[in-house]
Amino acid sequence: MKKEDILYTAKLSYLNYEEKDLEKVEKGLGDILSYVEMLSEVDTTDVKPLTHVMETVNVLREDEVGETLSIEEVSQNAPDWDDRTFKVPKVM
């Protein structure tokens, strides 16, 4: 990567490099780009793309209607109740 490209990218990213740091940045970016280039040479023809690093599967169950609480039972646990609704303090 050229020094001009690094300075241009740094300007777009609102980064400021001092002249003495540009060599380190140039070497670091060069190493990263070399590694990416090396990875692009790997044959991934039969490799499926990953959607997640862990092979997880959602465990789902059927929805079943069960016992529910009556309005009276629900209202007994409410600190402030108004005819079928919970009353809560306003939040700004």
Side-chain angles (χ1 to χ4, degrees):
M1 192 167 209
K2 296 178 192 174
K3 192 182 248 187
E4 297 83 32
D5 294 333
I6 294 171
L7 290 172
Y8 177 72
T9 306
K11 182 179 178 184
L12 291 175
S13 305
Y14 296 99
L15 298 173
N16 293 317
Y17 290 116
E18 294 190 22
E19 193 67 34
K20 63 180 181 172
D21 297 329
L22 282 177
E23 283 185 33
K24 291 179 187 177
V25 172
E26 187 175 4
K27 182 186 180 325
L29 287 174
D31 292 345
I32 292 170
L33 292 174
S34 296
Y35 185 70
V36 170
E37 188 176 318
M38 181 177 60
L39 288 176
S40 68
E41 296 172 5
V42 175
D43 181 24
T44 58
T45 307
D46 297 326
V47 178
K48 293 180 185 176
L50 288 177
T51 56
H52 197 279
V53 293
M54 304 285 291
E55 291 187 27
T56 57
V57 178
N58 284 339
V59 180
L60 303 175
R61 61 177 172 76
E62 292 295 320
D63 287 336
E64 296 176 9
V65 177
E67 235 180 278
T68 60
L69 297 174
S70 68
I71 297 295
E72 292 77 29
E73 290 173 311
V74 171
S75 66
Q76 288 175 0
N77 293 321
D80 200 358
W81 181 260
D82 181 25
D83 187 40
R84 296 186 58 105
T85 59
F86 293 99
K87 292 175 78 177
V88 296
K90 290 182 182 179
V91 177
M92 296 269 198

